Amino acid sequence: MNENSSKVDFAEIMRNRTKKFVVDNIKFFRTLPKTEEAKIIGRQLLRSSSSVGANYSAACRARSQAEFHSKLSIVVEEADESVFWMEILVEAQVVKSSELNYLSDEANQILKIASASRKTVSSKNR
C-alpha cells in the first residue's frame, strides 16, 4: 500500500468516525431529561458535535492545504467545545459521567487526532 492510499484510507476512517460521533450525539440528546437546561446545553452539544462531522467531511474535500488546515482548525475547536458541553452536563448534574464516558472519550480522541493532523499540515507549509 502506498502513502497516498493509506492517507485516503485514514481520511475515510476518520470521516466515518466523525459522522458516527454526530449520530451518537443525536442519540444521546434524545435521552436527556426534558428540563430547560438539558435542552439548552444539549442543543449546544448537538451544534458543536455536528460541526465536527460536517467540517471533517469538508476538510476531506478541501481544494488546498490552506483550506484543509482551516477546516481542521474548526474540527479542533468544535471537538473541544463538545467536550466542554459534556463536562457542563456532568458538573451541573444533568447526567451522570458514566452516561458520557464513550462520547467524551471519542471527542477527546478526535480532538487529539485533528490537532496532530493540523500540526502536520502546518509544519509542511513552512
Side-chain angles (χ1 to χ4, degrees):
M1 185 176 346
N2 65 31
E3 183 182 342
N4 203 27
S5 176
S6 64
K7 283 182 184 178
V8 171
D9 291 346
F10 176 79
E12 187 61 24
I13 289 167
M14 280 304 293
R15 200 176 77 67
N16 290 334
R17 190 171 174 178
T18 56
K19 185 195 259 183
K20 183 180 182 321
F21 180 67
V22 175
V23 172
D24 289 346
N25 272 281
I26 291 168
K27 290 176 181 176
F28 171 73
F29 178 79
R30 292 176 184 153
T31 70
L32 286 173
K34 303 303 177 211
T35 62
E36 195 60 27
E37 66 272 15
K39 288 179 195 172
I40 291 168
I41 299 165
R43 282 189 195 105
Q44 291 293 120
L45 175 58
L46 271 181
R47 284 185 189 99
S48 59
S49 64
S50 60
S51 186
V52 168
N55 281 288
Y56 190 83
S57 184
C60 291
R61 293 186 307 276
R63 294 165 291 193
S64 67
Q65 288 286 359
E67 186 178 356
F68 182 74
H69 184 274
S70 175
K71 293 298 180 184
L72 269 185
S73 294
I74 296 169
V75 172
V76 169
E77 289 173 28
E78 298 294 342
D80 187 53
E81 185 176 332
S82 296
V83 170
F84 174 80
W85 292 121
M86 289 177 202
E87 290 171 352
I88 294 299
L89 284 168
V90 171
E91 290 174 25
Q93 298 177 334
V94 175
V95 298
K96 292 181 175 74
S97 63
S98 60
E99 295 175 58
L100 276 169
N101 282 345
Y102 167 75
L103 282 175
S104 179
D105 183 52
E106 186 64 1
N108 278 302
Q109 286 184 37
I110 290 169
L111 179 58
K112 287 176 186 171
I113 293 165
S115 293
S117 296
R118 183 178 64 171
K119 195 174 200 176
T120 299
V121 171
S122 291
S123 67
K124 284 182 179 178
N125 290 339
R126 288 186 190 150

